[in-house]
Amino acid sequence: MFQYYFLLGVRSLRRNPALTALMVLTLAVGVAASIATLTILHVMSGDPIPHKSDRLFVPLIDNGQPDNYKPGDKPDDNQLSYRDATNLLNSKAGERRTIIFGVSLAIEPERKDIGVFNARGIAPTADFFNMFDAPFLHGQGWSPADDKAGADVVVLSRKLAEKIYGDADPVGKRLTMGGFQYQVVGVLDTWKVVPHFHRIIGSNDGAFSEEDEMFIPFASATRHEFQRNGSTSCYEDIAPGYQAFLDSECTWIQAWIETRSASDRAELQSFLDSYATEQRKLGRLKRNAPNMLYDVREWLDYMKVVGNDNKLSAWLAFGFLILCLVNTIGLLLAKFSVRAAEVGIRRALGASRREIFAQFLIETTVVGLVGGVLGLILAFGALALIAMQSKALTLVAHMDWVMLLTTFALAVLSAILAGLLPTWRACQVTPALQLKSQ
């Protein structure tokens, strides 16, 4: 019986084609808007490195001024001073450690057809690549010895390497950056993490910013006195000289520490507290704020990667879907009302209200399936457009099977919900009146 009603529903699509097209399009637009927004939030809030996200930590030590401080206040900045960052780097805390700051350098390719251009990147230490499972297309990262020597080596993103060298392997070649010659030691492949994570571990410019284009050793960046990409809160008060700039308590660096297991978090917290206590005794830290540790998921929440405005947009998208459902209800009422004579004849021939209800509900399900297919196509198009506009990793690639099934389930459920009232109204047709009128 279901197959029979389903085939009836398919044939009914040809009835009132304009009305059917409006219903399908209304459902498709509502579903596409909802599923596109849901996919974006799924990408932004996903765990970028799930197998070790509970072992990677950002330490925060409050280095702020005592003015307006209240006991229990959290650190007033989301990074560390240069001194604290380098002290943690040189400590034995955790299994791996890295410190990072963003840089922006002028690139001078040997190719005359390109010309000089600026590229953005980060200056981490050697452990960075292993900590975040950086995938290499060519070569590898630099060594701890390169960190100690402040070697002028660089790892390029695949995009930047192809822009300068085409498809050739550039490892071993030299590239002028920031007025200095750097040797290319590696090229990163496309990073299979959510797009915003590039910014969280780098220059932190937003969820859909372009990924970092090059990576140079932290010691090389400081040796050449490259300024941090971004301003400091008290830059005007820093004494002349680059070392004074670094030693300033308002030159901020990001630090990450990887532990062997998630259970080592308490030990790392104890180390951080002991370090802060020691620095307070030395007179450096003025406030007695708690020292914070954030794992990857907690850090993304703390940085509000999925902010309230993004969550509001999700609610607005679902509100738009509800509006589309209301319009679909009206269209279904119009479609079913003209079939009152058909219902009357079927009832007179012995069909029960339950059978009529099943028939019409299955027909609305067919409409929902067609709307779901069209909605999926529209959602792919919307995500591709967003990806092109934002220059981020293609979000469509993140629409996995769960998202595909969600699309169809949402479309069918929406159609069924929209069809409940019109179907119930269709079942109330009085056979005698219809037979008399016909």
Side-chain angles (χ1 to χ4, degrees):
M1 187 63 70
F2 176 84
Q3 182 180 3
Y4 173 71
Y5 287 153
F6 185 84
L7 293 176
L8 279 180
V10 173
R11 287 199 295 269
S12 74
L13 292 176
R14 294 197 294 266
R15 298 181 182 179
N16 297 323
L19 201 58
T20 300
L22 283 175
M23 282 192 297
V24 170
L25 186 59
T26 300
L27 273 177
V29 171
V31 169
S34 301
I35 206 67
T37 306
L38 185 63
T39 301
I40 292 171
L41 291 176
H42 171 69
V43 170
M44 292 176 64
S45 60
D47 191 340
I49 190 164
H51 64 285
K52 60 163 57 176
S53 62
D54 59 349
R55 296 191 288 117
L56 291 169
F57 297 97
V58 177
L60 291 186
I61 298 172
D62 195 346
N63 205 14
Q65 298 301 313
D67 302 338
N68 301 320
Y69 169 72
K70 298 189 294 291
D73 284 353
K74 293 182 179 180
D76 60 357
D77 203 286
N78 56 26
Q79 299 186 62
L80 299 173
S81 69
Y82 171 82
R83 189 175 305 175
D84 289 328
T86 52
N87 285 344
L88 290 180
L89 178 68
N90 296 326
S91 71
K92 300 299 182 182
E95 183 181 20
R96 296 189 181 102
R97 297 161 299 281
T98 188
I99 57 178
I100 304 166
F101 72 90
V103 292
S104 179
L105 301 176
I107 308 293
E108 303 175 44
E110 293 182 356
R111 290 173 51 183
K112 302 302 182 184
D113 59 320
I114 296 180
V116 179
F117 63 92
N118 283 329
R120 302 175 59 173
I122 61 175
T125 52
D127 278 347
F128 167 82
F129 301 104
N130 287 328
M131 288 176 69
F132 295 104
D133 295 344
F136 279 88
L137 181 66
H138 302 296
Q140 59 187 2
W142 56 83
S143 67
D146 291 327
D147 274 334
K148 291 181 180 179
D152 291 343
V153 292
V154 61
V155 171
L156 303 177
S157 70
R158 181 172 185 168
K159 179 180 177 181
L160 183 59
E162 290 177 349
K163 178 177 180 178
I164 299 174
Y165 301 104
D167 295 330
D169 180 357
V171 172
K173 296 184 178 180
R174 304 194 70 81
L175 179 64
T176 302
M177 302 194 313
F180 299 93
Q181 286 279 312
Y182 277 79
Q183 183 175 9
V184 179
V185 295
V187 176
L188 285 182
D189 203 350
T190 303
W191 213 325
K192 303 299 184 183
V193 296
V194 291
H196 63 253
F197 200 52
H198 287 292
R199 306 269 61 93
I200 295 303
I201 60 178
S203 47
N204 191 26
D205 288 330
F208 292 104
S209 299
E210 192 172 357
E211 62 182 295
D212 298 304
E213 297 179 286
M214 46 81 178
F215 305 79
I216 62 175
F218 183 91
S220 173
T222 54
R223 183 169 65 85
H224 290 311
E225 302 186 359
F226 293 150
Q227 295 291 340
R228 179 186 180 277
N229 186 21
S231 60
T232 59
S233 58
C234 53
Y235 187 83
E236 300 83 2
D237 300 328
I238 299 174
Y242 190 74
Q243 190 58 46
F245 167 72
L246 292 178
D247 288 339
S248 166
E249 298 294 0
C250 58
T251 301
W252 299 106
I253 312 294
Q254 190 175 85
W256 285 84
I257 299 175
E258 179 183 351
T259 59
R260 292 184 181 275
S261 68
S263 60
D264 292 336
R265 178 172 186 158
E267 181 181 347
L268 181 58
Q269 182 70 61
S270 176
F271 168 81
L272 199 63
D273 292 339
S274 298
Y275 170 80
T277 299
E278 177 185 340
Q279 295 302 306
R280 288 190 188 95
K281 290 179 180 178
L282 295 175
R284 283 194 55 243
L285 305 183
K286 311 296 184 183
R287 295 162 52 151
N288 196 29
N291 308 299
M292 309 301 295
L293 274 181
Y294 296 95
D295 66 21
V296 172
R297 297 300 298 269
E298 293 167 347
W299 182 246
L300 297 180
D301 289 339
Y302 175 76
M303 295 296 290
K304 292 182 172 58
V305 171
V306 183
N308 292 331
D309 53 341
N310 300 109
K311 295 176 181 177
L312 177 61
S313 66
W315 284 110
L316 290 175
F318 282 108
F320 182 69
L321 175 60
I322 293 174
L323 180 61
C324 290
L325 289 183
V326 172
N327 289 331
T328 304
I329 291 173
L331 293 171
L332 283 170
L333 284 170
K335 182 180 178 66
F336 290 169
S337 65
V338 299
R339 298 173 62 186
E342 173 193 335
V343 174
I345 293 173
R346 285 207 62 208
R347 288 292 311 281
L349 292 174
S352 66
R353 287 184 175 180
R354 181 176 182 178
E355 289 171 331
I356 298 295
F357 188 87
Q359 175 191 345
F360 278 64
L361 201 59
I362 290 173
E363 287 189 20
T364 62
T365 302
V366 173
V367 172
L369 287 173
V370 177
V373 172
L374 182 58
L376 180 61
I377 295 172
L378 292 177
F380 266 104
L383 291 171
L385 181 61
I386 292 172
M388 287 190 299
Q389 293 295 326
S390 65
K391 299 180 182 179
L393 297 178
T394 304
L395 292 173
V396 177
H398 294 272
M399 188 178 248
D400 52 24
W401 285 107
V402 175
M403 301 305 295
L404 291 173
L405 293 175
T406 302
T407 301
F408 284 105
L410 188 61
V412 174
L413 180 62
S414 300
I416 291 174
L417 290 175
L420 287 177
L421 177 60
T423 301
W424 179 82
R425 288 282 300 274
C427 293
Q428 308 309 307
V429 170
T430 305
L433 293 177
Q434 291 300 320
L435 290 175
K436 181 179 179 181
S437 64
Q438 297 300 318

